[in-house]
Short mmCIF file of all heavy atoms in Angstrom, two decimals:
data_model
loop_
_atom_site.label_atom_id
_atom_site.label_comp_id
_atom_site.label_asym_id
_atom_site.label_seq_id
_atom_site.Cartn_x
_atom_site.Cartn_y
_atom_site.Cartn_z
N GLU B 351 16.03 -33.59 -1.03
CA GLU B 351 14.87 -34.47 -1.17
C GLU B 351 13.98 -34.45 0.08
O GLU B 351 12.76 -34.53 -0.02
CB GLU B 351 15.36 -35.88 -1.47
CG GLU B 351 14.28 -36.91 -1.69
CD GLU B 351 13.32 -36.58 -2.84
OE1 GLU B 351 13.75 -35.92 -3.80
OE2 GLU B 351 12.15 -36.99 -2.76
N ILE B 352 14.59 -34.28 1.24
CA ILE B 352 13.82 -34.32 2.49
C ILE B 352 12.75 -33.23 2.52
O ILE B 352 11.74 -33.35 3.20
CB ILE B 352 14.78 -34.20 3.71
CG1 ILE B 352 14.06 -34.55 5.02
CG2 ILE B 352 15.40 -32.84 3.82
CD1 ILE B 352 14.42 -35.87 5.58
N LEU B 353 12.95 -32.15 1.75
CA LEU B 353 11.96 -31.05 1.74
C LEU B 353 10.95 -31.18 0.60
O LEU B 353 10.08 -30.32 0.46
CB LEU B 353 12.69 -29.70 1.63
CG LEU B 353 13.36 -29.21 2.92
CD1 LEU B 353 14.18 -27.95 2.64
CD2 LEU B 353 12.30 -28.90 3.99
N HIS B 354 11.06 -32.23 -0.20
CA HIS B 354 10.19 -32.34 -1.38
C HIS B 354 8.71 -32.23 -1.01
O HIS B 354 7.97 -31.43 -1.57
CB HIS B 354 10.46 -33.67 -2.10
CG HIS B 354 9.62 -33.87 -3.31
ND1 HIS B 354 9.92 -33.29 -4.53
CD2 HIS B 354 8.45 -34.53 -3.50
CE1 HIS B 354 8.98 -33.61 -5.40
NE2 HIS B 354 8.09 -34.37 -4.81
N GLU B 355 8.29 -33.03 -0.02
CA GLU B 355 6.87 -33.02 0.35
C GLU B 355 6.45 -31.67 0.92
O GLU B 355 5.34 -31.20 0.67
CB GLU B 355 6.59 -34.12 1.39
CG GLU B 355 6.37 -35.48 0.79
CD GLU B 355 5.36 -35.49 -0.35
OE1 GLU B 355 4.22 -35.02 -0.18
OE2 GLU B 355 5.74 -35.97 -1.44
N THR B 356 7.34 -31.06 1.70
CA THR B 356 7.03 -29.76 2.29
C THR B 356 6.75 -28.73 1.19
O THR B 356 5.80 -27.96 1.27
CB THR B 356 8.21 -29.29 3.16
OG1 THR B 356 8.51 -30.33 4.08
CG2 THR B 356 7.90 -28.02 3.90
N PHE B 357 7.58 -28.73 0.17
CA PHE B 357 7.37 -27.78 -0.93
C PHE B 357 6.11 -28.13 -1.72
O PHE B 357 5.40 -27.24 -2.18
CB PHE B 357 8.60 -27.72 -1.85
CG PHE B 357 9.62 -26.72 -1.38
CD1 PHE B 357 10.59 -27.07 -0.45
CD2 PHE B 357 9.60 -25.41 -1.84
CE1 PHE B 357 11.51 -26.15 0.00
CE2 PHE B 357 10.53 -24.48 -1.40
CZ PHE B 357 11.49 -24.85 -0.47
N GLN B 358 5.83 -29.44 -1.86
CA GLN B 358 4.60 -29.84 -2.55
C GLN B 358 3.39 -29.29 -1.80
O GLN B 358 2.48 -28.72 -2.40
CB GLN B 358 4.49 -31.37 -2.60
CG GLN B 358 5.52 -32.06 -3.45
CD GLN B 358 5.24 -31.87 -4.93
OE1 GLN B 358 5.86 -31.03 -5.58
NE2 GLN B 358 4.29 -32.61 -5.46
N ARG B 359 3.42 -29.46 -0.47
CA ARG B 359 2.28 -29.02 0.34
C ARG B 359 2.13 -27.51 0.30
O ARG B 359 1.04 -26.98 0.19
CB ARG B 359 2.44 -29.50 1.79
CG ARG B 359 1.58 -30.73 2.07
CD ARG B 359 1.76 -31.21 3.49
NE ARG B 359 2.76 -32.28 3.51
CZ ARG B 359 3.58 -32.53 4.52
NH1 ARG B 359 3.57 -31.79 5.59
NH2 ARG B 359 4.43 -33.54 4.44
N LEU B 360 3.28 -26.82 0.36
CA LEU B 360 3.23 -25.35 0.32
C LEU B 360 2.69 -24.88 -1.03
O LEU B 360 1.85 -23.97 -1.10
CB LEU B 360 4.63 -24.79 0.56
CG LEU B 360 4.77 -23.27 0.45
CD1 LEU B 360 3.89 -22.57 1.49
CD2 LEU B 360 6.23 -22.84 0.63
N THR B 361 3.15 -25.52 -2.10
CA THR B 361 2.69 -25.13 -3.43
C THR B 361 1.18 -25.35 -3.56
O THR B 361 0.47 -24.52 -4.11
CB THR B 361 3.45 -25.93 -4.52
OG1 THR B 361 4.85 -25.71 -4.33
CG2 THR B 361 3.06 -25.48 -5.91
N ARG B 362 0.71 -26.48 -3.01
CA ARG B 362 -0.74 -26.74 -3.06
C ARG B 362 -1.51 -25.68 -2.28
O ARG B 362 -2.50 -25.13 -2.78
CB ARG B 362 -1.05 -28.13 -2.47
CG ARG B 362 -1.00 -29.26 -3.50
CD ARG B 362 -1.74 -30.50 -3.01
NE ARG B 362 -1.19 -31.06 -1.78
CZ ARG B 362 -0.14 -31.89 -1.75
NH1 ARG B 362 0.46 -32.27 -2.88
NH2 ARG B 362 0.31 -32.36 -0.60
N ALA B 363 -1.05 -25.38 -1.06
CA ALA B 363 -1.75 -24.40 -0.23
C ALA B 363 -1.77 -23.04 -0.92
O ALA B 363 -2.80 -22.35 -0.95
CB ALA B 363 -1.08 -24.29 1.14
N TYR B 364 -0.64 -22.66 -1.50
CA TYR B 364 -0.55 -21.38 -2.20
C TYR B 364 -1.47 -21.36 -3.41
O TYR B 364 -2.20 -20.39 -3.65
CB TYR B 364 0.91 -21.11 -2.58
CG TYR B 364 1.10 -20.22 -3.79
CD1 TYR B 364 0.73 -18.88 -3.76
CD2 TYR B 364 1.65 -20.74 -4.97
CE1 TYR B 364 0.90 -18.07 -4.87
CE2 TYR B 364 1.82 -19.94 -6.08
CZ TYR B 364 1.44 -18.61 -6.03
OH TYR B 364 1.61 -17.82 -7.13
N THR B 365 -1.48 -22.45 -4.18
CA THR B 365 -2.30 -22.51 -5.39
C THR B 365 -3.79 -22.40 -5.03
O THR B 365 -4.54 -21.65 -5.66
CB THR B 365 -2.04 -23.83 -6.15
OG1 THR B 365 -0.64 -23.96 -6.34
CG2 THR B 365 -2.74 -23.84 -7.49
N GLU B 366 -4.17 -23.13 -3.96
CA GLU B 366 -5.58 -23.06 -3.54
C GLU B 366 -5.94 -21.65 -3.07
O GLU B 366 -7.00 -21.13 -3.41
CB GLU B 366 -5.83 -24.06 -2.40
CG GLU B 366 -5.98 -25.50 -2.91
CD GLU B 366 -5.85 -26.52 -1.79
OE1 GLU B 366 -6.02 -26.15 -0.60
OE2 GLU B 366 -5.54 -27.69 -2.13
N ALA B 367 -5.05 -21.06 -2.30
CA ALA B 367 -5.32 -19.70 -1.80
C ALA B 367 -5.46 -18.73 -2.98
O ALA B 367 -6.32 -17.85 -2.99
CB ALA B 367 -4.20 -19.26 -0.87
N ARG B 368 -4.61 -18.94 -3.98
CA ARG B 368 -4.62 -18.02 -5.10
C ARG B 368 -5.91 -18.16 -5.92
O ARG B 368 -6.37 -17.19 -6.54
CB ARG B 368 -3.40 -18.29 -5.98
CG ARG B 368 -3.20 -17.18 -6.97
CD ARG B 368 -1.77 -17.01 -7.37
NE ARG B 368 -1.73 -15.94 -8.36
CZ ARG B 368 -0.63 -15.41 -8.85
NH1 ARG B 368 0.53 -15.84 -8.45
NH2 ARG B 368 -0.68 -14.44 -9.73
N GLN B 369 -6.48 -19.37 -5.91
CA GLN B 369 -7.72 -19.58 -6.66
C GLN B 369 -8.96 -19.18 -5.87
O GLN B 369 -10.06 -19.18 -6.40
CB GLN B 369 -7.82 -21.05 -7.09
CG GLN B 369 -6.89 -21.36 -8.25
CD GLN B 369 -6.57 -22.83 -8.38
OE1 GLN B 369 -6.93 -23.64 -7.54
NE2 GLN B 369 -5.89 -23.19 -9.47
#
Side-chain angles (χ1 to χ4, degrees):
Chain B
E351 182 59 29
I352 193 106
L353 284 173
H354 180 81
E355 277 310 305
T356 307
F357 273 87
Q358 293 286 101
R359 259 179 264 149
L360 176 61
T361 304
R362 271 199 299 276
Y364 153 66
T365 308
E366 282 164 20
R368 193 152 178 173
Q369 284 159 353

